[in-house]
Amino acid sequence: MGHRAGRPYFPGGRALKADIPVAVIGGYLGAGKTTMVNHLLRHAAGRRIAILVNEFGDLPIDEDLIEAEGEDMIAISGGCICCSFGSDLTAALIKLSELTPPPDHVVIEASGVAMPGTVALSISILPGFALSGVVVLADGERVQAQAEDDYIGDTIVRQLSDADVIVHSKTDLQPNERAIEAVESWLQAMAPQAKIVPTVRGRVPPDIILGLTGPTAKPQASPHADAGYESLAFREIPPCVPEDLARKLATSSYGVIRAKGFLRDAEGNSWVIQTVGRRFEAQRGQKSELDGVVCIGRRGDLQAAALHGLLGPAVSSSHI
Amino acid sequence: MSETIVYSAKKIITMNPSRPEATHVAVRDGRILGAGSLSELQTWGDVRLDERFKDKVLMPGFVEGHAHVMEGSLWSKVYCGWFDRADPDGKLWSGVKSVDAVVERLRAAEAALEDPAAAVSGWQLDPIYMDNITVTRADLDRVSTTRAVGVLHASGHIMNVNTKALELAGMMKTGHNHPGIPLGADGLPTGELKGPEVMTPVGPFVGFERNLLDADEAGLRNFAKLCVRTGTTTITDLASRMDEDTVDMMLRVTSEPHYPIRLMPFRFFLGLSAPELVETVLAMKKRATDRLRLGQIKIVVDGSIQGFSARLRWPGYHNGAPNGLWYIAPEHLSELLHLALEAGVQVHTHTNGDQATQLVLEKLATALQAHPNPDHRFTLQHCQLADAAQFRLAAKLGMCVNLFANHHYYWGDEHYNLTVGPDRATRMNACRTALDSGVPMAIHSDAPVTPLGPLFTAWAAVNRITASGRVQGEEERIDVSEALYAVTMGAAYTLHLDGEIGSIETGKKADFAVLEADPTACDPMELKDIPVWGTVQGGRIFPAAEL
């Protein structure tokens, strides 16, 4: 997440545009990155997402989603695109920022040996982009053995330690709940900073990968509420210290994977808070008509009662 | 019938063991008819005797197995290196020894610019030799406050820029939170940019707009001039991204009647999936010409030792730095090796650290069981930290090595003191062990990382002297004759060209390095100083003085 002090200076009169949120997806080969990206594209729900991959080949995008294919760009139904960047990610991002209209979201699918934290850092220096979080996939069946491998062990460990959210993939291939829990507690020990979400066939809600848009007039109903996540919305939150609230949401045991909110402090200033995993930020923002906070977490994990104590009663709750 | 020309020479060092020396060489149709005495060559019938080389020493044209066309491209910018270096036009640029000298040289270049918006770009700055001094934007603001100024370091991974450049890139602000952007006391960037992802946003404003891995036409021409000046007739571009337009341009330029070198570009492995890469390279191979040898792949497995990004085995870096980075996943490497062996496409792998070398050895051993090929000559490039067991295994597997002899001179002291410590620094680029292990060996410059110059490279392998003047690893030194073999036949072998070039004998290309003195007769310490008159390439004569 960009820890920016004030508006960045943009050359060429781009200052009025909002930063494009960028999600970095990491994880070793075979962890399920491509599957998750395809699921995301199928549930883009009007968001224009630009996917950046190292290279095409091995079908980065399911064939039925492809509308047109060029040398380094694939057009995807619903206004999304996929671009290959080879070895020059920064140049590819600069090119994306010049598109009219620019994409709503950028998702970088890092290579299997890349350090997602390093990729995330490179976003922080590009005007017009803001990191929305680092999501690292871990193949539940193989990740522990991979972490012991002479060649790639330290790479796996460093990738996990870069994550805001770890997607524990392919849980359906594990024999029982106990096995799944054992992997999760191992992952949590390896990456105490990360929130862990289990998944089957990459079915992670788009909001978890891309980030939340914030409180909206209508609760967003999910077309298929089978992934086991819940979102809670809160309104009319009394004036507070926004940074303290963001810190609590990110670091206390509320089961919050991501949160976003528009708040006011005691002086009446407007703030935007965002959290992902255990990372949080609070920035001064424009006054919003829809003050409030949205939290998303695993169903059963999200502590509605405790959040009620912190934020007042939830105005809406939806399964996604 | 074509004309037969016999050149006389003071001495011809043939690198052909059955006839190591000669006084005359006969050339017909750009190829060598024979080497021997005049009377022997006159048995071919009507010959024309050409005595222009009668005071020169001829060797097979030198073969550089690891360089980048980028060396030619960079000379369009201002040379800011520590060491003296000759440019493509033969001008010797003295090394700059202080920040003031850097500023002064850039100012001179600035004064010559007419376009008020043009940037001032420099290259090859190496603060390691200036007690690791940090160059700041204030220093470069002394060059200009109205133009963008940028200087690329010798490592290629750091750039210094001025305030104007930062402003143009939108980076002249507080709040940066990135290890690649050091901040001053004022919270603003110091102007030092570390790492490609930090340099790229500024690059276009300071004259480094293109991906430097892509050959450009002017660079390709400059590169060829440097080859002539150093006696080089065949050279690699290791590696290039080689899009369609670049390949067309390379084919056009290299086919010009006076283009003086044979270029072998390797396709960089990134950007395509493994099957597509092999398919693309096979298609390129069909377009190959004598002077543009398309159809090989280069894989980069790890980073650099001095950048602490090379992959090392136990005990790792001497200063405790964490292990380096993989630039390819082991599974991806394995897939590429399998597919390339199956398709008969040659692969050269960049491995600096010994763990990276080990990975390639293991993966290739497995791939060879699936696709046996007794003559693949896959080559370990750099392979700087390999130990004796790895060289033996490389030999058993039919691999070649191309060791970075020049590196030992330029960074040997740093490796001894900082990166890998005394033991391993002493055995870095272990030419003696490689030859004794029976692995076919070349040695290289990696130009522009170090200057192109096969005689210098031979000197470095023979003497193993570091920049501070110490002999480091005297047991790993090789003989002059072995070093000269490495920069001719040795390198040709790694490129599958040993049947065509690398020695002066019947049937091979008439490729000669024309030298002013005999490298086998001089003090080995003076090997690097032997003047090069020019080259003969495919029977065409290229005097350096007339470039």
Side-chain angles (χ1 to χ4, degrees):
Chain A
M1 224 168 264
H3 297 276
R4 294 210 164 117
R7 292 297 311 174
Y9 163 71
F10 293 131
R14 291 192 290 150
L16 291 177
K17 286 191 207 158
D19 289 348
I20 303 169
V22 183
V24 177
I25 296 180
Y28 198 66
L29 294 190
K33 297 190 294 287
T34 302
T35 307
M36 188 176 82
V37 164
N38 277 288
H39 180 269
L40 174 68
L41 289 169
R42 284 184 193 283
H43 302 93
R47 304 177 185 91
R48 284 172 308 109
I49 304 171
I51 309 284
L52 289 176
V53 297
N54 256 129
E55 60 225 25
F56 294 160
D58 302 341
L59 293 177
I61 304 298
D62 291 344
E63 219 157 326
D64 62 306
L65 290 172
I66 296 176
E67 279 187 346
E69 224 169 322
E71 198 177 314
D72 48 13
M73 192 186 288
I74 295 174
I76 299 161
S77 54
C80 298
I81 52 172
C82 176
C83 308
S84 65
F85 61 86
S87 51
D88 198 345
L89 175 63
T90 306
L93 281 167
I94 292 171
K95 236 195 234 173
L96 277 186
S97 70
E98 288 161 357
L99 291 178
T100 25
D104 301 324
H105 293 270
V106 175
V107 173
I108 299 170
E109 187 181 328
S111 95
V113 285
M115 297 303 163
T118 308
V119 177
L121 270 175
S122 67
I123 291 154
S124 71
I125 59 165
L126 284 176
F129 294 96
L131 181 69
S132 69
V134 175
V135 179
V136 175
L137 284 94
D139 177 338
E141 278 199 312
R142 292 159 65 198
V143 67
Q144 292 180 76
Q146 287 169 336
E148 295 293 319
D149 185 274
D150 277 350
Y151 289 114
I152 58 159
D154 61 321
T155 301
I156 299 286
V157 171
R158 282 153 82 176
Q159 288 178 341
L160 293 174
S161 69
D162 283 350
D164 296 311
V165 175
I166 293 176
V167 173
H168 172 195
S169 63
K170 309 183 189 179
T171 51
D172 55 328
L173 300 181
Q174 298 195 45
N176 51 43
E177 272 305 310
R178 278 225 331 263
I180 295 173
E181 278 166 24
V183 173
E184 286 198 13
S185 55
W186 181 86
L187 286 170
Q188 195 68 78
M190 298 303 289
Q193 83 294 345
K195 296 280 169 76
I196 295 164
V197 303
T199 185
V200 173
R201 285 186 277 282
R203 293 195 293 236
V204 180
D207 283 347
I208 298 233
I209 304 168
L210 301 173
L212 296 159
T213 47
T216 50
K218 278 182 267 176
Q220 282 176 313
S222 174
H224 58 108
D226 64 344
Y229 294 87
E230 189 175 7
S231 127
L232 293 173
F234 304 87
R235 287 274 162 72
E236 289 166 28
I237 294 158
C240 60
V241 180
E243 190 165 325
D244 288 351
L245 186 66
R247 180 183 299 112
K248 278 184 195 154
L249 287 171
T251 59
S252 306
S253 319
Y254 295 114
V256 173
I257 297 167
R258 278 187 185 269
K260 181 164 184 176
F262 303 115
L263 301 165
R264 260 162 301 175
D265 62 19
E267 283 82 50
N269 299 310
S270 295
W271 289 77
V272 183
I273 61 162
Q274 287 194 74
T275 78
V276 53
R278 283 173 218 281
R279 219 139 50 85
F280 61 92
E281 68 174 13
Q283 287 181 308
R284 287 288 290 276
Q286 299 285 317
K287 190 171 155 44
S288 163
E289 306 225 325
L290 282 161
D291 280 3
V293 174
V294 181
C295 300
I296 185 166
R298 281 159 78 174
R299 206 181 303 161
D301 225 23
L302 199 59
Q303 303 298 311
L307 284 166
H308 173 129
L310 185 71
L311 300 165
V315 294
S316 71
S317 145
S318 52
H319 287 179
I320 55 175
Chain B
M1 198 175 78
S2 309
E3 186 187 31
T4 301
I5 307 164
V6 171
Y7 295 101
S8 60
K10 189 159 79 183
K11 181 176 178 183
I12 300 173
I13 301 166
T14 66
M15 291 293 152
N16 169 13
S18 53
R19 186 160 239 195
E21 284 180 23
T23 56
H24 292 74
V25 57
V27 174
R28 183 190 290 168
D29 292 330
R31 298 172 74 179
I32 296 163
L33 200 55
S37 67
L38 178 60
S39 57
E40 285 174 325
L41 297 174
Q42 278 169 331
T43 63
W44 284 98
D46 212 9
V47 301
R48 174 162 70 81
L49 181 64
D50 186 324
E51 299 215 279
R52 75 179 79 200
F53 300 137
K54 69 177 190 311
D55 300 324
K56 314 293 180 200
V57 173
L58 298 187
M59 276 194 67
F62 296 132
V63 182
E64 170 54 273
H66 192 146
H68 302 267
V69 172
M70 192 203 310
E71 163 91 32
S73 312
L74 285 169
W75 279 106
S76 66
K77 311 178 192 315
V78 184
Y79 179 66
C80 297
W82 173 263
F83 297 93
D84 298 352
R85 190 154 170 165
D87 74 13
D89 294 320
K91 178 179 169 183
L92 186 71
W93 291 75
S94 58
V96 286
K97 307 293 187 188
S98 67
V99 175
D100 284 344
V102 172
V103 169
E104 194 181 322
R105 181 165 289 178
L106 291 168
R107 278 168 90 152
E110 196 270 346
L113 289 173
E114 282 170 16
D115 176 358
V120 183
S121 334
W123 64 290
Q124 207 67 6
L125 183 67
D126 206 341
I128 283 176
Y129 303 108
M130 303 180 195
D131 292 327
N132 281 307
I133 189 170
T134 304
V135 178
T136 65
R137 65 187 159 85
D139 293 320
L140 297 182
D141 286 347
R142 285 156 58 203
V143 178
S144 176
T145 54
T146 57
R147 297 177 190 280
V149 181
V151 185
L152 188 65
H153 285 210
S155 70
H157 289 282
I158 299 178
M159 189 187 276
N160 290 108
V161 299
N162 72 344
T163 304
K164 181 72 181 177
L166 289 169
E167 283 171 359
L168 288 171
M171 288 171 70
M172 190 58 195
K173 61 183 183 190
T174 56
H176 286 288
N177 178 20
H178 193 295
I181 308 177
L183 304 177
D186 53 3
L188 292 165
T190 61
E192 187 172 48
L193 305 173
K194 299 174 170 178
E197 72 274 10
V198 181
M199 283 155 40
T200 309
V202 190
F205 301 105
V206 292
F208 290 96
E209 56 283 284
R210 312 184 76 253
N211 184 320
L212 285 170
L213 277 182
D214 290 337
D216 64 298
E217 187 165 341
L220 202 54
R221 294 182 197 284
N222 274 338
F223 191 57
K225 288 183 182 179
L226 287 162
C227 288
V228 172
R229 291 186 191 285
T230 55
T232 310
T233 50
T234 297
I235 192 162
T236 54
D237 183 19
L238 211 80
S240 182
R241 292 197 305 183
M242 300 176 76
D243 56 45
E244 201 74 17
D245 291 347
T246 304
V247 173
D248 289 347
M249 182 276 289
M250 287 175 129
L251 280 166
R252 176 169 51 79
V253 171
T254 55
S255 69
E256 289 169 3
H258 297 293
Y259 195 74
I261 55 169
R262 183 177 297 104
L263 182 66
M264 194 163 198
F266 281 59
R267 209 292 184 182
F268 191 51
F269 75 109
L270 278 182
L272 292 171
S273 67
E276 284 173 330
L277 177 63
V278 171
E279 195 183 313
T280 302
V281 167
L282 279 174
M284 261 186 225
K285 207 170 186 170
K286 295 202 179 106
R287 303 181 71 191
T289 63
D290 172 35
R291 292 214 283 276
L292 191 69
R293 301 299 181 102
L294 300 160
Q296 306 72 225
I297 292 170
K298 177 178 179 196
I299 301 174
V300 177
V301 180
D302 68 344
S304 77
I305 301 165
Q306 70 272 31
F308 300 99
S309 50
R311 291 290 310 190
L312 268 53
R313 294 186 297 187
W314 190 89
Y317 286 100
H318 190 237
N319 69 347
N323 208 346
L325 299 169
W326 295 111
Y327 292 151
I328 185 169
E331 291 86 343
H332 185 189
L333 171 68
S334 186
E335 184 190 11
L336 262 173
L337 293 175
H338 275 269
L339 291 172
L341 278 174
E342 192 176 32
V345 170
Q346 203 192 11
V347 174
H348 282 199
T349 50
H350 156 128
T351 63
N352 267 313
D354 53 352
Q355 193 190 33
T357 296
Q358 190 66 25
L359 179 70
V360 172
L361 290 168
E362 285 177 16
K363 294 297 183 194
L364 187 66
T366 312
L368 278 168
Q369 285 177 340
H371 311 283
N373 180 342
D375 195 30
H376 56 82
R377 304 191 203 181
F378 283 19
T379 299
L380 294 159
Q381 292 285 348
H382 304 322
C383 196
Q384 297 203 73
L385 279 170
D387 65 11
Q390 292 182 321
F391 284 123
R392 284 191 292 270
L393 182 52
K396 283 276 187 204
L397 293 175
M399 296 197 83
C400 310
V401 297
N402 190 356
L403 302 181
F404 199 168
N406 287 21
H407 192 96
H408 193 75
Y409 171 74
Y410 287 100
W411 288 282
D413 293 314
E414 214 200 354
H415 293 313
Y416 189 94
N417 295 320
L418 187 66
T419 63
V420 295
D423 275 20
R424 286 174 295 171
T426 302
R427 74 138 198 256
M428 275 178 82
N429 297 294
C431 293
R432 176 81 274 141
T433 301
L435 290 178
D436 291 350
S437 307
V439 56
M441 183 193 80
I443 48 180
H444 67 271
S445 68
D446 198 11
V449 176
T450 76
L452 175 65
L455 285 173
F456 178 93
T457 303
W459 172 88
V462 166
N463 296 291
R464 287 185 71 91
I465 286 178
T466 65
S468 71
R470 291 185 306 117
V471 174
Q472 186 166 294
E474 46 204 292
E475 306 304 329
E476 292 296 347
R477 291 182 298 190
I478 56 174
D479 296 344
V480 170
S481 60
E482 290 168 324
L484 294 177
Y485 188 89
V487 296
T488 51
M489 284 300 291
Y493 186 87
T494 66
L495 303 173
H496 274 295
L497 293 179
D498 52 317
E500 291 183 60
I501 59 169
S503 63
I504 299 177
E505 60 184 296
T506 304
K508 289 199 170 179
K509 308 280 186 198
D511 289 2
F512 312 133
V514 184
L515 311 177
E516 300 285 4
D518 180 356
T520 61
C522 70
D523 178 344
M525 273 303 287
E526 285 162 13
L527 203 48
K528 64 181 168 54
D529 304 315
I530 288 180
V532 176
W533 176 90
T535 61
V536 176
Q537 208 272 5
R540 302 168 304 153
I541 297 169
F542 298 100
E546 289 173 25
L547 286 173

